[in-house]
PDB file of all heavy atoms in Angstrom:
ATOM      1  N   ILE A 811     -69.148 -33.398   9.694  1.00  0.00           N
ATOM      2  CA  ILE A 811     -70.511 -33.667   9.120  1.00  0.00           C
ATOM      3  C   ILE A 811     -71.074 -34.944   9.612  1.00  0.00           C
ATOM      4  O   ILE A 811     -72.350 -35.009   9.886  1.00  0.00           O
ATOM      5  CB  ILE A 811     -70.522 -33.731   7.524  1.00  0.00           C
ATOM      6  CG1 ILE A 811     -69.931 -32.328   7.042  1.00  0.00           C
ATOM      7  CG2 ILE A 811     -71.810 -33.975   6.975  1.00  0.00           C
ATOM      8  CD1 ILE A 811     -69.698 -32.312   5.557  1.00  0.00           C
ATOM      9  N   CYS A 812     -70.265 -35.883   9.823  1.00  0.00           N
ATOM     10  CA  CYS A 812     -70.785 -37.240  10.403  1.00  0.00           C
ATOM     11  C   CYS A 812     -71.292 -37.081  11.773  1.00  0.00           C
ATOM     12  O   CYS A 812     -72.361 -37.578  12.167  1.00  0.00           O
ATOM     13  CB  CYS A 812     -69.690 -38.271  10.322  1.00  0.00           C
ATOM     14  SG  CYS A 812     -70.155 -39.885  10.779  1.00  0.00           S
ATOM     15  N   CYS A 813     -70.644 -36.321  12.563  1.00  0.00           N
ATOM     16  CA  CYS A 813     -70.976 -36.126  13.928  1.00  0.00           C
ATOM     17  C   CYS A 813     -72.266 -35.222  14.014  1.00  0.00           C
ATOM     18  O   CYS A 813     -73.127 -35.440  14.943  1.00  0.00           O
ATOM     19  CB  CYS A 813     -69.952 -35.452  14.728  1.00  0.00           C
ATOM     20  SG  CYS A 813     -68.503 -36.611  15.097  1.00  0.00           S
ATOM     21  N   ARG A 814     -72.367 -34.301  13.078  1.00  0.00           N
ATOM     22  CA  ARG A 814     -73.629 -33.444  13.048  1.00  0.00           C
ATOM     23  C   ARG A 814     -74.801 -34.252  12.635  1.00  0.00           C
ATOM     24  O   ARG A 814     -75.919 -33.743  13.020  1.00  0.00           O
ATOM     25  CB  ARG A 814     -73.360 -32.258  12.181  1.00  0.00           C
ATOM     26  CG  ARG A 814     -74.360 -31.179  12.266  1.00  0.00           C
ATOM     27  CD  ARG A 814     -74.049 -29.952  11.483  1.00  0.00           C
ATOM     28  NE  ARG A 814     -72.878 -29.324  11.937  1.00  0.00           N
ATOM     29  CZ  ARG A 814     -71.682 -29.274  11.302  1.00  0.00           C
ATOM     30  NH1 ARG A 814     -71.606 -29.802  10.121  1.00  0.00           N
ATOM     31  NH2 ARG A 814     -70.721 -28.578  11.875  1.00  0.00           N
ATOM     32  N   MET A 815     -74.672 -35.293  11.949  1.00  0.00           N
ATOM     33  CA  MET A 815     -75.799 -36.214  11.559  1.00  0.00           C
ATOM     34  C   MET A 815     -76.311 -37.011  12.703  1.00  0.00           C
ATOM     35  O   MET A 815     -77.488 -37.496  12.760  1.00  0.00           O
ATOM     36  CB  MET A 815     -75.401 -37.062  10.436  1.00  0.00           C
ATOM     37  CG  MET A 815     -75.061 -36.387   9.090  1.00  0.00           C
ATOM     38  SD  MET A 815     -74.543 -37.545   7.886  1.00  0.00           S
ATOM     39  CE  MET A 815     -75.696 -38.853   7.886  1.00  0.00           C
ATOM     40  N   SER A 816     -75.440 -37.214  13.685  1.00  0.00           N
ATOM     41  CA  SER A 816     -75.790 -38.152  14.840  1.00  0.00           C
ATOM     42  C   SER A 816     -76.720 -37.453  15.771  1.00  0.00           C
ATOM     43  O   SER A 816     -76.676 -36.356  16.071  1.00  0.00           O
ATOM     44  CB  SER A 816     -74.566 -38.628  15.492  1.00  0.00           C
ATOM     45  OG  SER A 816     -73.628 -39.108  14.515  1.00  0.00           O
ATOM     46  N   ALA A 817     -77.707 -38.320  16.262  1.00  0.00           N
ATOM     47  CA  ALA A 817     -78.637 -37.826  17.315  1.00  0.00           C
ATOM     48  C   ALA A 817     -77.872 -37.712  18.618  1.00  0.00           C
ATOM     49  O   ALA A 817     -78.084 -36.821  19.452  1.00  0.00           O
ATOM     50  CB  ALA A 817     -79.874 -38.704  17.452  1.00  0.00           C
ATOM     51  N   VAL A 818     -77.007 -38.663  18.837  1.00  0.00           N
ATOM     52  CA  VAL A 818     -76.039 -38.718  20.102  1.00  0.00           C
ATOM     53  C   VAL A 818     -74.684 -38.200  19.514  1.00  0.00           C
ATOM     54  O   VAL A 818     -74.529 -38.350  18.308  1.00  0.00           O
ATOM     55  CB  VAL A 818     -75.991 -40.117  20.632  1.00  0.00           C
ATOM     56  CG1 VAL A 818     -75.182 -40.058  21.984  1.00  0.00           C
ATOM     57  CG2 VAL A 818     -77.414 -40.624  20.939  1.00  0.00           C
ATOM     58  N   GLU A 819     -73.882 -37.744  20.399  1.00  0.00           N
ATOM     59  CA  GLU A 819     -72.583 -37.248  20.020  1.00  0.00           C
ATOM     60  C   GLU A 819     -71.858 -38.344  19.240  1.00  0.00           C
ATOM     61  O   GLU A 819     -71.417 -39.279  19.764  1.00  0.00           O
ATOM     62  CB  GLU A 819     -71.786 -36.779  21.221  1.00  0.00           C
ATOM     63  CG  GLU A 819     -72.194 -35.425  21.832  1.00  0.00           C
ATOM     64  CD  GLU A 819     -71.219 -34.959  22.771  1.00  0.00           C
ATOM     65  OE1 GLU A 819     -70.215 -35.682  23.095  1.00  0.00           O
ATOM     66  OE2 GLU A 819     -71.399 -33.850  23.397  1.00  0.00           O
ATOM     67  N   CYS A 820     -71.621 -38.015  17.952  1.00  0.00           N
ATOM     68  CA  CYS A 820     -70.649 -38.759  17.043  1.00  0.00           C
ATOM     69  C   CYS A 820     -71.123 -40.285  17.116  1.00  0.00           C
ATOM     70  O   CYS A 820     -70.263 -41.209  17.310  1.00  0.00           O
ATOM     71  CB  CYS A 820     -69.211 -38.644  17.358  1.00  0.00           C
ATOM     72  SG  CYS A 820     -68.525 -37.085  17.032  1.00  0.00           S
ATOM     73  N   GLU A 821     -72.340 -40.558  16.944  1.00  0.00           N
ATOM     74  CA  GLU A 821     -72.897 -41.929  16.987  1.00  0.00           C
ATOM     75  C   GLU A 821     -72.334 -42.702  15.818  1.00  0.00           C
ATOM     76  O   GLU A 821     -72.077 -43.908  15.937  1.00  0.00           O
ATOM     77  CB  GLU A 821     -74.432 -41.887  16.974  1.00  0.00           C
ATOM     78  CG  GLU A 821     -75.150 -43.239  16.967  1.00  0.00           C
ATOM     79  CD  GLU A 821     -76.580 -43.177  16.862  1.00  0.00           C
ATOM     80  OE1 GLU A 821     -77.124 -42.066  16.727  1.00  0.00           O
ATOM     81  OE2 GLU A 821     -77.208 -44.238  16.845  1.00  0.00           O
ATOM     82  N   TYR A 822     -72.188 -42.102  14.687  1.00  0.00           N
ATOM     83  CA  TYR A 822     -71.850 -42.812  13.410  1.00  0.00           C
ATOM     84  C   TYR A 822     -70.385 -42.734  13.149  1.00  0.00           C
ATOM     85  O   TYR A 822     -69.917 -43.332  12.226  1.00  0.00           O
ATOM     86  CB  TYR A 822     -72.641 -42.278  12.213  1.00  0.00           C
ATOM     87  CG  TYR A 822     -74.074 -42.416  12.239  1.00  0.00           C
ATOM     88  CD1 TYR A 822     -74.887 -41.222  12.125  1.00  0.00           C
ATOM     89  CD2 TYR A 822     -74.703 -43.526  12.527  1.00  0.00           C
ATOM     90  CE1 TYR A 822     -76.311 -41.250  12.338  1.00  0.00           C
ATOM     91  CE2 TYR A 822     -76.060 -43.663  12.654  1.00  0.00           C
ATOM     92  CZ  TYR A 822     -76.863 -42.475  12.547  1.00  0.00           C
ATOM     93  OH  TYR A 822     -78.262 -42.564  12.637  1.00  0.00           O
ATOM     94  N   TRP A 823     -69.620 -42.051  13.978  1.00  0.00           N
ATOM     95  CA  TRP A 823     -68.094 -41.956  13.687  1.00  0.00           C
ATOM     96  C   TRP A 823     -67.418 -43.088  14.439  1.00  0.00           C
ATOM     97  O   TRP A 823     -67.570 -43.250  15.714  1.00  0.00           O
ATOM     98  CB  TRP A 823     -67.698 -40.650  14.133  1.00  0.00           C
ATOM     99  CG  TRP A 823     -66.205 -40.444  13.874  1.00  0.00           C
ATOM    100  CD1 TRP A 823     -65.183 -40.495  14.766  1.00  0.00           C
ATOM    101  CD2 TRP A 823     -65.579 -40.209  12.685  1.00  0.00           C
ATOM    102  NE1 TRP A 823     -64.001 -40.418  14.193  1.00  0.00           N
ATOM    103  CE2 TRP A 823     -64.124 -40.108  12.860  1.00  0.00           C
ATOM    104  CE3 TRP A 823     -66.069 -40.090  11.332  1.00  0.00           C
ATOM    105  CZ2 TRP A 823     -63.314 -39.871  11.841  1.00  0.00           C
ATOM    106  CZ3 TRP A 823     -65.115 -39.849  10.329  1.00  0.00           C
ATOM    107  CH2 TRP A 823     -63.782 -39.747  10.595  1.00  0.00           C
ATOM    108  N   HIS A 824     -66.763 -43.838  13.649  1.00  0.00           N
ATOM    109  CA  HIS A 824     -65.924 -44.945  14.318  1.00  0.00           C
ATOM    110  C   HIS A 824     -64.458 -44.528  14.388  1.00  0.00           C
ATOM    111  O   HIS A 824     -63.822 -44.338  13.366  1.00  0.00           O
ATOM    112  CB  HIS A 824     -66.065 -46.230  13.455  1.00  0.00           C
ATOM    113  CG  HIS A 824     -65.163 -47.370  13.938  1.00  0.00           C
ATOM    114  ND1 HIS A 824     -65.457 -48.045  15.058  1.00  0.00           N
ATOM    115  CD2 HIS A 824     -64.012 -47.864  13.448  1.00  0.00           C
ATOM    116  CE1 HIS A 824     -64.547 -48.983  15.307  1.00  0.00           C
ATOM    117  NE2 HIS A 824     -63.568 -48.822  14.150  1.00  0.00           N
ATOM    118  N   ALA A 825     -63.951 -44.363  15.593  1.00  0.00           N
ATOM    119  CA  ALA A 825     -62.556 -43.825  15.771  1.00  0.00           C
ATOM    120  C   ALA A 825     -61.711 -45.028  16.008  1.00  0.00           C
ATOM    121  O   ALA A 825     -62.017 -45.995  16.741  1.00  0.00           O
ATOM    122  CB  ALA A 825     -62.629 -42.879  16.942  1.00  0.00           C
ATOM    123  N   TRP A 826     -60.446 -44.963  15.515  1.00  0.00           N
ATOM    124  CA  TRP A 826     -59.535 -45.863  15.928  1.00  0.00           C
ATOM    125  C   TRP A 826     -59.161 -45.735  17.448  1.00  0.00           C
ATOM    126  O   TRP A 826     -59.195 -44.620  17.892  1.00  0.00           O
ATOM    127  CB  TRP A 826     -58.233 -45.709  15.058  1.00  0.00           C
ATOM    128  CG  TRP A 826     -58.387 -45.379  13.623  1.00  0.00           C
ATOM    129  CD1 TRP A 826     -57.974 -44.427  12.878  1.00  0.00           C
ATOM    130  CD2 TRP A 826     -59.104 -46.260  12.669  1.00  0.00           C
ATOM    131  NE1 TRP A 826     -58.299 -44.413  11.621  1.00  0.00           N
ATOM    132  CE2 TRP A 826     -59.002 -45.534  11.384  1.00  0.00           C
ATOM    133  CE3 TRP A 826     -59.842 -47.485  12.760  1.00  0.00           C
ATOM    134  CZ2 TRP A 826     -59.662 -46.120  10.239  1.00  0.00           C
ATOM    135  CZ3 TRP A 826     -60.376 -48.003  11.635  1.00  0.00           C
ATOM    136  CH2 TRP A 826     -60.284 -47.301  10.496  1.00  0.00           C
ATOM    137  N   GLU A 827     -58.711 -46.830  18.045  1.00  0.00           N
ATOM    138  CA  GLU A 827     -58.487 -46.728  19.412  1.00  0.00           C
ATOM    139  C   GLU A 827     -57.264 -45.818  19.675  1.00  0.00           C
ATOM    140  O   GLU A 827     -56.152 -46.137  19.213  1.00  0.00           O
ATOM    141  CB  GLU A 827     -58.142 -48.142  19.996  1.00  0.00           C
ATOM    142  CG  GLU A 827     -57.752 -48.134  21.434  1.00  0.00           C
ATOM    143  CD  GLU A 827     -58.971 -47.578  22.285  1.00  0.00           C
ATOM    144  OE1 GLU A 827     -60.088 -47.926  22.016  1.00  0.00           O
ATOM    145  OE2 GLU A 827     -58.608 -46.911  23.299  1.00  0.00           O
ATOM    146  N   PRO A 828     -57.395 -44.637  20.360  1.00  0.00           N
ATOM    147  CA  PRO A 828     -56.381 -43.635  20.337  1.00  0.00           C
ATOM    148  C   PRO A 828     -55.193 -44.117  21.165  1.00  0.00           C
ATOM    149  O   PRO A 828     -54.056 -43.664  20.929  1.00  0.00           O
ATOM    150  CB  PRO A 828     -56.960 -42.455  20.916  1.00  0.00           C
ATOM    151  CG  PRO A 828     -58.232 -42.909  21.695  1.00  0.00           C
ATOM    152  CD  PRO A 828     -58.652 -44.252  20.995  1.00  0.00           C
TER     153      PRO A 828
END
Side-chain angles (χ1 to χ4, degrees):
I811 299 178
C812 183
C813 290
R814 191 174 292 115
M815 292 173 52
S816 307
V818 186
E819 281 191 0
C820 292
E821 177 185 4
Y822 301 124
W823 181 258
H824 176 73
W826 317 124
E827 180 58 40

